[in-house]
Amino acid sequence: MPITRDAVLDWLKAFAAAIASERDHLTELDSAIGDADHGANMDRGFQAVLGMLPAVAEQDVGAVLKAVGMKLVSTVGGASGPLYGTLFLQMGAATAGKLTLSPAEWAAGLGAGVEGVARRGRARRGEKTMIDSLVPATEALSAALEGGASLEDALWQAERAARRGMLDTTPMVATKGRASYLGERSAGHQDPGATSAHLLVRAAAEAWAPEREPHHP
Amino acid sequence: MPITRDAVLDWLKAFAAAIASERDHLTELDSAIGDADHGANMDRGFQAVLGMLPAVAEQDVGAVLKAVGMKLVSTVGGASGPLYGTLFLQMGAATAGKLTLSPAEWAAGLGAGVEGVARRGRARRGEKTMIDSLVPATEALSAALEGGASLEDALWQAERAARRGMLDTTPMVATKGRASYLGERSAGHQDPGATSAHLLVRAAAEAWAPEREPHHP
Amino acid sequence: MKKLINKPEDVVAEGLRGMALAHADILKVQFGPDYLVRADAPVKGKVGIVSGGGSGHEPMHGGFVGMGMLDAACPGAVFTSPTPDQVLAASRAVSGGAGVLLIVKNYTGDVLNFEMAADMARAEGIEVEAVVTNDDVAVKDSLYTAGRRGVGVTVLAEKMAGAAAEERRPLEEVAEVCRKVNAQGRSMGMALTSCTVPHAGKPTFDLPEDEMEIGIGIHGEPGRTRMKLKTAAEITELLATAVLEDLPFQRGDRALALVNGMGGTPLIELYLVFQELARICKGRGVAIARSLVGPYITSLDMAGCSLTLVRMDDELLRLWDAPVRTSALRWGV
Amino acid sequence: MKKLINKPEDVVAEGLRGMALAHADILKVQFGPDYLVRADAPVKGKVGIVSGGGSGHEPMHGGFVGMGMLDAACPGAVFTSPTPDQVLAASRAVSGGAGVLLIVKNYTGDVLNFEMAADMARAEGIEVEAVVTNDDVAVKDSLYTAGRRGVGVTVLAEKMAGAAAEERRPLEEVAEVCRKVNAQGRSMGMALTSCTVPHAGKPTFDLPEDEMEIGIGIHGEPGRTRMKLKTAAEITELLATAVLEDLPFQRGDRALALVNGMGGTPLIELYLVFQELARICKGRGVAIARSLVGPYITSLDMAGCSLTLVRMDDELLRLWDAPVRTSALRWGV
Ligand SMILES: Nc1ncnc2c1ncn2[C@@H]1O[C@H](COP(=O)(O)OP(=O)(O)O)[C@@H](O)[C@H]1O
Ligand SMILES: Nc1ncnc2c1ncn2[C@@H]1O[C@H](COP(=O)(O)OP(=O)(O)O)[C@@H](O)[C@H]1O
Ligand SMILES: [Mg+2]
Ligand SMILES: [Mg+2]
Ligand SMILES: [Mg+2]
Ligand SMILES: [Mg+2]
């Protein structure tokens, strides 16, 4: 099934809601290895996005995602502002003019966004950043779709990969961002950005394939 | 009996010793209604005086007292520096050139010093200052001598008057010096300067007439 | 006590040494007796201006030594007035034949020590005038006190008297400018925290986490009242009202406004207070013609601020705008 | 929390309003997006210099806007980097046809936001160069960190790059001056107390009454080590040694020395530290050719200090001495 512009709006609203409810948890994670503002930063940004969505709700998917990126860039600040902003700006560029997306186009768009984040932040996997949940998620998504999986299954496989990547950041020693000043002391804490990035992936699965949510043992 | 230059030196040393042993008490009194430095100020000054005395020990009484005044002025600071400095400078002027003093000359010299303090500080009795023990003391001293009392008795009568004056400052509301900023709140505390001034008068009696010290009930 | 010091008894001398090293182009420091003096003192034919007081109020007074302001400053021990021999030595050093003006803050110790110094200097044939500043409206000026304390106005008077002296005006006129600034100026301060005097080692007074002291002195003397913390808007209203109504300032007046930090309060808060003050003055029709925002007359590490307003006329505005070159105030050169 | 503020969320905007009112002769403040800009911007034919960062470090950066230094400053929320739209708007406002230099402190957030702004400005046809300062020797600069933090050198680089821009030198040369100051400069700081962020309401970290943090960042980031309090002489030795040996400074070098206050430390202590630093430099044959002592890059109300040394040559000395007219640094005019 194709992904409509309204489905994309549902995904954005679901992510905004997840950020709002996880706000304190994200800030708590950031206070351990950063400066205790990641939840506040992300929530400030997505509340602004929610306020702006009606104004662009009639435009194409690319335009919507571009507008989200611009809004995040101008309201979040810190490291996550430009990074999440770039993610949506690049997704928007990759989906410019489209009113619906095929699963492959969706995967390609997300991949372009994640590549943009990696370029902007000069981060690779293993540096204890959002990259550690974003990259595995996009890889799992594409692999599943290429392997013939349904979008619904692919979304939940991506969610699982993102969650694993998020959990994998805990033992890592940060080499990017504020946490890197802590050196060895950054190990033993889950990365806040990787945590919010997992919510981004999960929001799509929950918005578009709620009934398929696997029951983890 | 005449008061020799060496007797004057004994008095100065006795006062310096009394200040040193009462230093903390004076500072404690000043911390209640002032800025907690009267003991430190006076002790700093009289330690400097002790160090300087040998250099002037061969000069006349007036020169010795002038030198003491100058040293206090240049080492004490605060309100008490100029005030005690003036006391000794004026005593020195009144006794210039003399190698010994008659009791009357001593009383006149002290009176001149106290007048100098009152002029410098523009203070009258009842304003909760050193004046409240100095003035009664000089009045009692002169009265006793004019009444035919011996120097020894006159000294102890002056000491009693100084002590009474010192105790009388407790209920007073300060209208001069730092304590006046406290207004009514200054009542109920003995004035530090009146307390050090009592030591000045007592030092003379103890130095020159120890055997005559009256036994207070 | 947490301070960047070595021995408490060496703080003043070591601070002075730092001043001398950092500002050799502007001033020299003399020890025994201690004073800071303009590098080019004495200036022939110019009235020499000397101020001073206890240390712990930096940049006042040493930071105001230089062209257009003070010729010399006499630092006493922390919170203790200097001694007459310091003031005498400084007066000699700046006496350029046109007389010497002593600017004294109204505290018994300062007044008495400067008076003695004035007597001594006159005895040496130096023409001396002394002006006592007493602008702190927190203290009732009456027969029942030693009078209002000299605070923020002192800095502003030193600047404008300094400018008058640079114009080579005679001693009497320079002293008159100083008296005029004091007469037209009023101040009041407040503290969020106590200061800690080095040799004491602990805070001078206890102030609960939710209380502040209004009408505080610059040595931690008690203020008018202690009350629960309020917003910057309310605090500024409190201080400004007392200052404005004491002179009183009138609709149409032009004012020089000083929002002064007590030492431990960051600059952003002072600017925040300044915009509250500007709002209040505007509401009363008082125009802020000139302003100064920052820590200028401090109380060691005390957190808090004070407000000073001076009613200005064209002469004072000209003198305020005149060039000044000191380590703490500098413009026009 | 004891602060002269109204609502924590209004601190930055109200502080900016105060700046605008106090310094209308020097700068203007724009809101939405927020930035401070030279009153006479854009200056035709001159490279425009824009800096910025989180608020809470006053006077940096707004206090350095004016002739001879910055053309604009972009204040973020307290301790949070500004957003690209602020930097873009400021760049447009100061673009006088000779290009725009962005001076950025090395923190991931600052670098990413300024980079995006640079991309946007270039997309609009504005020629943009960006220089990142990273002088804090407390952080190891390696593959394993985001690199050294930009601290004290930033202020000095802004002054000297500003002077080069006033000489109408081309963008590449102005950027080169900025890079040179950064390359020749090193800093290290320490804290006696934590700062308190308004919206947090409590100290960022706990520091026992008898301990200090060496190598602290300006946002209360952890330092190199925590240790028992020491004397000013020992503390200065610690910081100065780390700074001197990192470049390293050599016998015969001429240095510009900044003894910076963190916000809650009184001036007398900074001068005391400066004379210790002068003694240490002398012992190593490093001449302090110029100096700056005071709170210039602060961390709200934190008590403590930082030392910055820049190896100077004749060109840098000339640029340092050149006239500057800002609210926080002013000379030669
Ligand atoms: N160079 C980078 N590349 C990718 N992600 C990064 C990078 N630096 C930081 N991050 C992510 O940003 C998160 C912190 O975001 P946030 O707290 O909002 O910004 P700041 O660190 O400026 O306060 C980190 O948890 C990390 O996942
Ligand atoms: N105007 C005055 N006349 C006489 N004595 C005064 C006057 N002002 C203050 N004193 C005396 O000085 C004492 C305080 O001296 P000290 O504490 O050494 O100086 P400071 O008050 O400057 O700290 C007071 O207790 C009081 O007795
Ligand atoms: Mg953060
Ligand atoms: Mg942050
Ligand atoms: Mg006292
Ligand atoms: Mg005193």
Side-chain angles (χ1 to χ4, degrees), chain C residues 306-333:
Chain C
S306 65
L307 304 186
T308 299
L309 290 172
V310 177
R311 179 192 286 141
M312 304 291 275
D313 58 20
D314 294 340
E315 179 198 29
L316 294 184
L317 287 171
R318 191 189 78 247
L319 294 170
W320 178 255
D321 293 338
V324 59
R325 184 162 177 270
T326 70
S327 63
L329 276 190
R330 192 159 178 159
W331 58 73
V333 281

Short mmCIF file of all heavy atoms in Angstrom, two decimals, chain C residues 306-333:
data_model
loop_
_atom_site.label_atom_id
_atom_site.label_comp_id
_atom_site.label_asym_id
_atom_site.label_seq_id
_atom_site.Cartn_x
_atom_site.Cartn_y
_atom_site.Cartn_z
N SER C 306 22.82 47.91 43.60
CA SER C 306 22.35 49.20 44.12
C SER C 306 22.02 50.09 42.94
O SER C 306 22.55 49.92 41.84
CB SER C 306 23.43 49.85 45.00
OG SER C 306 24.57 50.19 44.23
N LEU C 307 21.09 51.01 43.18
CA LEU C 307 20.69 51.97 42.16
C LEU C 307 21.11 53.36 42.61
O LEU C 307 20.95 53.70 43.78
CB LEU C 307 19.16 51.98 41.98
CG LEU C 307 18.47 50.67 41.65
CD1 LEU C 307 16.99 50.91 41.38
CD2 LEU C 307 19.14 49.99 40.46
N THR C 308 21.67 54.13 41.69
CA THR C 308 22.00 55.53 41.96
C THR C 308 21.44 56.37 40.82
O THR C 308 21.57 56.00 39.66
CB THR C 308 23.52 55.72 42.02
OG1 THR C 308 24.06 54.92 43.08
CG2 THR C 308 23.87 57.19 42.28
N LEU C 309 20.79 57.46 41.18
CA LEU C 309 20.31 58.41 40.18
C LEU C 309 20.83 59.79 40.56
O LEU C 309 20.79 60.17 41.72
CB LEU C 309 18.77 58.44 40.15
CG LEU C 309 18.07 57.20 39.58
CD1 LEU C 309 16.56 57.30 39.80
CD2 LEU C 309 18.39 57.03 38.10
N VAL C 310 21.35 60.51 39.57
CA VAL C 310 21.80 61.88 39.77
C VAL C 310 21.04 62.79 38.81
O VAL C 310 20.94 62.49 37.62
CB VAL C 310 23.32 62.02 39.50
CG1 VAL C 310 23.74 63.48 39.65
CG2 VAL C 310 24.12 61.13 40.43
N ARG C 311 20.46 63.84 39.33
CA ARG C 311 19.78 64.81 38.47
C ARG C 311 20.85 65.61 37.75
O ARG C 311 21.73 66.20 38.38
CB ARG C 311 18.89 65.74 39.28
CG ARG C 311 18.18 66.77 38.41
CD ARG C 311 17.53 67.85 39.25
NE ARG C 311 16.34 67.37 39.93
CZ ARG C 311 15.99 67.70 41.18
NH1 ARG C 311 16.80 68.45 41.89
NH2 ARG C 311 14.89 67.24 41.72
N MET C 312 20.80 65.60 36.43
CA MET C 312 21.85 66.21 35.62
C MET C 312 21.40 67.54 35.03
O MET C 312 20.22 67.74 34.75
CB MET C 312 22.26 65.27 34.49
CG MET C 312 22.70 63.89 34.94
SD MET C 312 24.28 63.89 35.81
CE MET C 312 25.41 63.83 34.40
N ASP C 313 22.38 68.42 34.83
CA ASP C 313 22.13 69.63 34.03
C ASP C 313 23.17 69.64 32.91
O ASP C 313 23.99 68.72 32.82
CB ASP C 313 22.21 70.89 34.90
CG ASP C 313 23.57 71.04 35.58
OD1 ASP C 313 24.55 70.42 35.11
OD2 ASP C 313 23.66 71.77 36.59
N ASP C 314 23.15 70.67 32.08
CA ASP C 314 24.06 70.67 30.93
C ASP C 314 25.52 70.59 31.36
O ASP C 314 26.34 69.90 30.75
CB ASP C 314 23.83 71.92 30.06
CG ASP C 314 22.44 71.89 29.41
OD1 ASP C 314 21.87 70.78 29.32
OD2 ASP C 314 21.95 72.96 29.02
N GLU C 315 25.86 71.30 32.45
CA GLU C 315 27.26 71.28 32.90
C GLU C 315 27.66 69.86 33.30
O GLU C 315 28.69 69.34 32.86
CB GLU C 315 27.45 72.22 34.09
CG GLU C 315 28.90 72.20 34.60
CD GLU C 315 29.05 72.75 36.01
OE1 GLU C 315 28.10 72.65 36.81
OE2 GLU C 315 30.15 73.25 36.32
N LEU C 316 26.81 69.22 34.10
CA LEU C 316 27.16 67.87 34.56
C LEU C 316 27.21 66.89 33.39
O LEU C 316 28.09 66.02 33.33
CB LEU C 316 26.17 67.40 35.62
CG LEU C 316 26.20 68.16 36.95
CD1 LEU C 316 25.24 67.53 37.96
CD2 LEU C 316 27.63 68.20 37.53
N LEU C 317 26.30 67.04 32.42
CA LEU C 317 26.33 66.15 31.26
C LEU C 317 27.64 66.31 30.51
O LEU C 317 28.27 65.33 30.10
CB LEU C 317 25.14 66.44 30.33
CG LEU C 317 23.78 65.97 30.85
CD1 LEU C 317 22.65 66.50 29.96
CD2 LEU C 317 23.73 64.44 30.90
N ARG C 318 28.08 67.57 30.36
CA ARG C 318 29.34 67.80 29.65
C ARG C 318 30.49 67.15 30.41
O ARG C 318 31.34 66.47 29.83
CB ARG C 318 29.60 69.30 29.51
CG ARG C 318 30.74 69.63 28.55
CD ARG C 318 31.12 71.10 28.59
NE ARG C 318 31.93 71.41 29.76
CZ ARG C 318 31.52 72.18 30.77
NH1 ARG C 318 30.31 72.70 30.77
NH2 ARG C 318 32.31 72.39 31.81
N LEU C 319 30.48 67.30 31.73
CA LEU C 319 31.57 66.73 32.54
C LEU C 319 31.53 65.20 32.54
O LEU C 319 32.56 64.54 32.54
CB LEU C 319 31.49 67.27 33.97
CG LEU C 319 31.74 68.78 34.11
CD1 LEU C 319 31.41 69.26 35.51
CD2 LEU C 319 33.19 69.11 33.75
N TRP C 320 30.32 64.63 32.50
CA TRP C 320 30.19 63.17 32.45
C TRP C 320 30.73 62.64 31.12
O TRP C 320 31.41 61.61 31.07
CB TRP C 320 28.74 62.74 32.63
CG TRP C 320 28.57 61.25 32.53
CD1 TRP C 320 28.03 60.55 31.50
CD2 TRP C 320 28.99 60.28 33.51
NE1 TRP C 320 28.09 59.18 31.76
CE2 TRP C 320 28.66 59.00 32.98
CE3 TRP C 320 29.61 60.35 34.76
CZ2 TRP C 320 28.92 57.81 33.67
CZ3 TRP C 320 29.86 59.16 35.45
CH2 TRP C 320 29.53 57.92 34.90
N ASP C 321 30.43 63.36 30.03
CA ASP C 321 30.84 62.90 28.70
C ASP C 321 32.32 63.14 28.43
O ASP C 321 32.88 62.58 27.48
CB ASP C 321 30.01 63.60 27.63
CG ASP C 321 28.54 63.17 27.66
OD1 ASP C 321 28.27 62.08 28.21
OD2 ASP C 321 27.69 63.93 27.17
N ALA C 322 32.96 63.97 29.23
CA ALA C 322 34.37 64.31 28.99
C ALA C 322 35.25 63.05 29.02
O ALA C 322 34.90 62.07 29.68
CB ALA C 322 34.84 65.31 30.03
N PRO C 323 36.38 63.09 28.32
CA PRO C 323 37.25 61.92 28.24
C PRO C 323 37.72 61.44 29.61
O PRO C 323 37.96 62.24 30.52
CB PRO C 323 38.46 62.42 27.42
CG PRO C 323 37.95 63.59 26.66
CD PRO C 323 36.90 64.22 27.53
N VAL C 324 37.81 60.13 29.77
CA VAL C 324 38.33 59.54 31.00
C VAL C 324 39.15 58.31 30.63
O VAL C 324 38.78 57.58 29.71
CB VAL C 324 37.18 59.17 31.97
CG1 VAL C 324 36.22 58.18 31.31
CG2 VAL C 324 37.73 58.61 33.28
N ARG C 325 40.25 58.12 31.31
CA ARG C 325 41.13 56.98 30.99
C ARG C 325 41.63 56.36 32.28
O ARG C 325 42.66 56.73 32.81
CB ARG C 325 42.30 57.44 30.12
CG ARG C 325 43.19 56.30 29.68
CD ARG C 325 44.05 56.71 28.50
NE ARG C 325 44.95 55.62 28.13
CZ ARG C 325 46.18 55.46 28.65
NH1 ARG C 325 46.64 56.31 29.54
NH2 ARG C 325 46.94 54.44 28.26
N THR C 326 40.83 55.45 32.81
CA THR C 326 41.22 54.72 34.01
C THR C 326 41.04 53.23 33.70
O THR C 326 40.53 52.88 32.64
CB THR C 326 40.29 55.09 35.20
OG1 THR C 326 38.98 54.55 34.95
CG2 THR C 326 40.19 56.61 35.35
N SER C 327 41.43 52.36 34.62
CA SER C 327 41.30 50.93 34.31
C SER C 327 39.85 50.49 34.31
O SER C 327 39.49 49.53 33.64
CB SER C 327 42.11 50.10 35.30
OG SER C 327 41.62 50.25 36.61
N ALA C 328 38.99 51.20 35.02
CA ALA C 328 37.59 50.76 35.13
C ALA C 328 36.61 51.60 34.33
O ALA C 328 35.54 51.11 33.97
CB ALA C 328 37.16 50.75 36.60
N LEU C 329 36.95 52.84 34.06
CA LEU C 329 36.09 53.71 33.25
C LEU C 329 36.95 54.34 32.17
O LEU C 329 37.99 54.91 32.48
CB LEU C 329 35.47 54.83 34.09
CG LEU C 329 34.19 54.57 34.87
CD1 LEU C 329 33.66 55.88 35.41
CD2 LEU C 329 33.15 53.85 34.04
N ARG C 330 36.49 54.25 30.95
CA ARG C 330 37.34 54.70 29.85
C ARG C 330 36.49 55.09 28.66
O ARG C 330 35.74 54.27 28.14
CB ARG C 330 38.25 53.54 29.49
CG ARG C 330 39.38 53.87 28.58
CD ARG C 330 40.42 52.78 28.78
NE ARG C 330 41.54 52.96 27.92
CZ ARG C 330 42.74 52.43 28.14
NH1 ARG C 330 42.94 51.69 29.19
NH2 ARG C 330 43.73 52.63 27.31
N TRP C 331 36.57 56.32 28.27
CA TRP C 331 35.96 56.72 27.01
C TRP C 331 36.54 58.05 26.55
O TRP C 331 37.21 58.73 27.31
CB TRP C 331 34.43 56.79 27.10
CG TRP C 331 33.85 57.71 28.12
CD1 TRP C 331 33.81 59.07 28.08
CD2 TRP C 331 33.16 57.32 29.33
NE1 TRP C 331 33.15 59.55 29.19
CE2 TRP C 331 32.73 58.51 29.97
CE3 TRP C 331 32.85 56.09 29.93
CZ2 TRP C 331 32.04 58.50 31.18
CZ3 TRP C 331 32.16 56.09 31.13
CH2 TRP C 331 31.76 57.28 31.73
N GLY C 332 36.28 58.35 25.27
CA GLY C 332 36.70 59.65 24.74
C GLY C 332 38.19 59.79 24.51
O GLY C 332 38.65 60.83 24.08
N VAL C 333 38.95 58.75 24.83
CA VAL C 333 40.40 58.80 24.54
C VAL C 333 40.86 57.47 23.99
O VAL C 333 40.45 56.43 24.46
CB VAL C 333 41.23 59.09 25.81
CG1 VAL C 333 41.19 60.57 26.12
CG2 VAL C 333 40.73 58.27 26.98
#
